[in-house]
Amino acid sequence: MPKTVYSVRFAARQEIFRVGDRGYNAYFIEDGQVEVSIDRDGKKVVVAELNAGEIFGEMSMIDDAPRSATVTALVDTEVIVIERSRMIKPLSSIDPMMNLLLRIVLTRFRNSQSQMSGLRGALGEDTKSLDRIRQLAFDRINAENKLRGALDAGEFEMHYQPIVDLPGGYIAGFEALIRWRKKDGGFVSPVEFIPLAEETGLIIELGRWVLETGLRDQIELARACHAVAPDRPAPFMSINVSGVQLSDMAETRILTDMVSQSGAVPEDIKLEITESLMVENADHAAEALTKLRESGVSIAIDDFGTGYSSLSYLHQFPLDTLKIDRAFVINMEKSESAKRIVLSIIQLALALELNIVAEGIEEKEQMETLGDLGCQYGQGYYMAKPQSFADALALMKSQPSWPPTAANDEGGQHMLRSVGGG
Ligand code: C2E
Ligand code: CA
Ligand code: CA
């Protein structure tokens, strides 16, 4: 995978780019100092000196125009390079009016820069807000760079949460959930870094790694299941796939190839997607999902009922499973209407011949109620938290059942084995 963000060092007095150069990259100064200069009547005029935490070269990145100044390292300087390709998606997706404004501001700025003697004057009282924007951008690029580094350093791991067959009480499958454990011991929730990975495009590489790991571990879990309970169906593996990964047919094909080359039984693999994919571009979604289904994998709709809740797509797309969001399950015990909603979703799923998984079961009563309502599968802290692959494998081998029987209960604790902030 080509990288769109990386660090480069420049020696003292080395030129980073010249006036008139085609500008492809912007730079954040990580360490060091640079000088920005323009040529006026054959004489070099220094318009700014920039230090760590400041950005330069950003204008060409936005409007693709030649460089309007020369930038030279004053001391040994380390910069984070942000390639223009990194901006193509954000630029093409911003509001057209916003895009226009950006370009007008840039044009005026360039004009004033070429007319005036110094850049500092041109910035005037706007420096404060520019500083703020710069700080925000810097924090963001830093976060992106760290995410990239974490992927290279192998700081991500997959955890697995059992999905229980409610009538039978045994493990029917697992959901693969990513974890980022930093080298300093810190833990970052996927809720924080998945959106960043999606915006920056890093989700493509990360998503491939998630799929590859999930496929490999499913094979092991299925093997363990077969060894201890040969009559039971192999546990399926439910893997979260971001809409960004499926927005490109070439990437969709790469994902299906990965499944077919993994050695896993495609029918044992479920891909979890959210409603937004189908709502944003229905035609494309239908094509991508059909392609996935042809490869044998199943498709689950995650967080059902929280997003656009358009029922119309349910029969338009090749879906297999509905996952009822945790919010409904939590309220089910407290409110009769929430319970009725759950019942309707279950009935809807049954009518459409879809499987149904209830998420976020934290109490025994919730599990029992869902079972009584005809819900086929359940997932939640009451049964088991997401756990490391080794723990999930041990759990699979121990053949737990829910509600726990005296033989496998150990005081309920095997169920609550928890790793990594699930
Ligand atoms: P999700 O797909 O809805 O995943 C379920 C989340 O609910 C998980 O949080 C899980 O740990 C948590 N959970 C499970 N049972 C319970 C329960 O009984 N009570 C409560 N309070 N929570 C429960 P997690 O692992 O933090 O993941 C959060 C979200 O991050 C996921 O929501 C999913 O949208 C995203 N995500 C996680 N892993 C991946 C991944 O590998 N790829 C992608 N694209 N997204 C992922
Ligand atoms: Ca999910
Ligand atoms: Ca969910």
Side-chain angles (χ1 to χ4, degrees):
M1 287 282 293
K3 296 179 180 182
T4 51
V5 174
Y6 50 92
S7 296
V8 172
R9 286 200 78 83
F10 289 95
R13 287 177 299 281
Q14 191 176 347
E15 207 168 73
I16 299 174
F17 56 73
R18 282 199 79 66
V19 108
D21 282 353
R22 275 305 295 278
Y24 294 106
N25 306 327
Y27 304 84
F28 273 104
I29 307 173
E30 266 196 302
D31 191 25
Q33 190 180 40
V34 303
E35 173 195 76
V36 183
S37 63
I38 54 172
D39 191 303
R40 209 157 58 94
D41 304 327
K43 266 186 32 203
K44 172 173 140 181
V45 179
V46 174
V47 293
E49 283 176 17
L50 304 175
N51 298 300
E54 303 207 80
I55 187 173
F56 62 92
E58 76 281 16
M59 291 194 292
S60 300
M61 202 171 172
I62 294 167
D63 64 9
D64 204 20
R67 301 290 191 191
S68 53
T70 298
V71 177
T72 314
L74 289 175
V75 296
D76 286 353
T77 297
E78 178 147 6
V79 296
I80 301 176
V81 181
I82 308 136
E83 287 194 351
R84 183 150 203 279
S85 59
R86 161 72 182 77
M87 297 301 290
I88 289 170
K89 188 150 181 280
L91 281 175
S92 64
S93 61
I94 57 172
D95 178 81
M97 194 63 200
M98 194 64 204
N99 203 333
L100 183 67
L101 283 175
L102 248 177
R103 280 158 205 280
I104 291 173
V105 170
L106 273 182
T107 310
R108 293 213 177 121
F109 189 74
R110 285 194 194 282
N111 287 345
S112 68
Q113 203 180 18
S114 58
Q115 281 161 19
M116 295 205 310
S117 56
L119 187 62
R120 281 194 186 96
L123 293 174
E125 46 283 320
D126 249 4
T127 17
K128 260 219 179 88
S129 61
L130 262 181
D131 279 351
R132 221 179 23 249
I133 294 167
R134 210 181 269 143
Q135 185 60 44
L136 281 175
F138 188 66
D139 289 350
R140 212 181 157 90
I141 289 296
N142 244 333
E144 180 178 343
N145 208 31
K146 286 205 180 104
L147 199 60
R148 160 92 256 161
L151 191 58
D152 292 343
E155 290 177 14
F156 292 103
E157 48 188 274
M158 293 312 293
H159 281 202
Y160 299 97
Q161 184 176 33
I163 296 175
V164 173
D165 178 277
L166 292 181
Y170 58 87
I171 296 180
F174 291 87
E175 177 173 3
L177 294 158
I178 194 167
R179 297 288 176 260
W180 177 4
R181 207 188 295 276
K182 297 202 210 165
K183 286 279 176 281
D184 65 12
F187 169 81
V188 188
S189 164
V191 178
E192 280 175 49
F193 69 80
I194 292 288
L196 180 67
E198 288 176 336
E199 274 168 53
T200 56
L202 216 65
I203 192 72
I204 298 294
E205 204 174 330
L206 198 60
R208 287 183 194 171
W209 178 84
V210 163
L211 182 64
E212 182 187 303
T213 311
L215 287 166
R216 196 180 57 223
D217 290 346
Q218 191 275 338
I219 295 173
E220 281 294 300
L221 288 162
R223 212 173 271 154
C225 175
H226 185 74
V228 292
D231 297 336
R232 236 176 233 162
F236 59 81
M237 182 63 82
S238 224
I239 299 174
N240 293 285
V241 173
S242 156
V244 178
Q245 290 175 270
L246 302 180
S247 63
D248 177 25
M249 280 315 287
E251 183 61 21
T252 305
R253 264 187 293 274
I254 289 176
L255 299 180
T256 55
D257 287 349
M258 285 175 67
V259 174
S260 53
Q261 286 159 19
S262 67
V265 177
E267 285 69 24
D268 292 342
I269 305 303
K270 252 182 225 206
L271 303 181
E272 295 193 6
I273 56 165
T274 52
E275 291 164 288
S276 55
L277 174 79
M278 282 162 284
V279 177
E280 278 157 20
N281 187 344
D283 290 344
H284 173 79
E287 190 188 351
L289 295 184
T290 304
K291 182 85 203 156
L292 293 175
R293 286 286 285 136
E294 280 167 10
S295 75
V297 304
S298 339
I299 312 286
I301 292 292
D302 208 352
D303 307 335
F304 183 74
T306 57
Y308 305 84
S309 301
S310 155
L311 299 179
S312 63
Y313 65 70
L314 283 180
H315 64 95
Q316 285 173 26
F317 297 102
L319 309 173
D320 306 274
T321 301
L322 277 191
K323 294 193 82 175
I324 308 184
D325 192 69
R326 184 162 70 92
F328 297 110
V329 175
I330 291 173
N331 291 315
M332 203 177 57
E333 299 295 298
K334 290 178 232 141
S335 121
E336 196 47 41
S337 62
K339 189 167 161 180
R340 278 202 294 270
I341 292 178
V342 172
L343 179 61
S344 328
I345 299 177
I346 293 171
Q347 285 171 341
L348 179 72
L350 292 174
L352 293 170
E353 298 182 323
L354 297 171
N355 288 317
I356 183 131
V357 182
E359 300 185 304
I361 300 175
E362 295 186 356
E363 290 158 19
K364 187 172 179 219
E365 292 69 36
Q366 295 168 337
M367 189 189 82
E368 287 169 350
T369 306
L370 286 160
D372 292 345
L373 294 179
C375 181
Q376 189 182 1
Y377 299 115
Q379 175 183 2
Y381 293 174
Y382 170 66
M383 288 88 109
K385 285 193 166 180
Q387 48 203 282
S388 70
F389 172 64
D391 285 348
L393 193 63
L395 189 65
M396 184 81 245
K397 286 178 181 162
S398 77
Q399 282 213 70
S401 75
W402 291 274
T405 58
N408 65 24
D409 185 15
E410 302 161 25
Q413 286 315 299
H414 75 273
M415 302 180 298
L416 297 171
R417 188 179 295 139
S418 157
V419 191

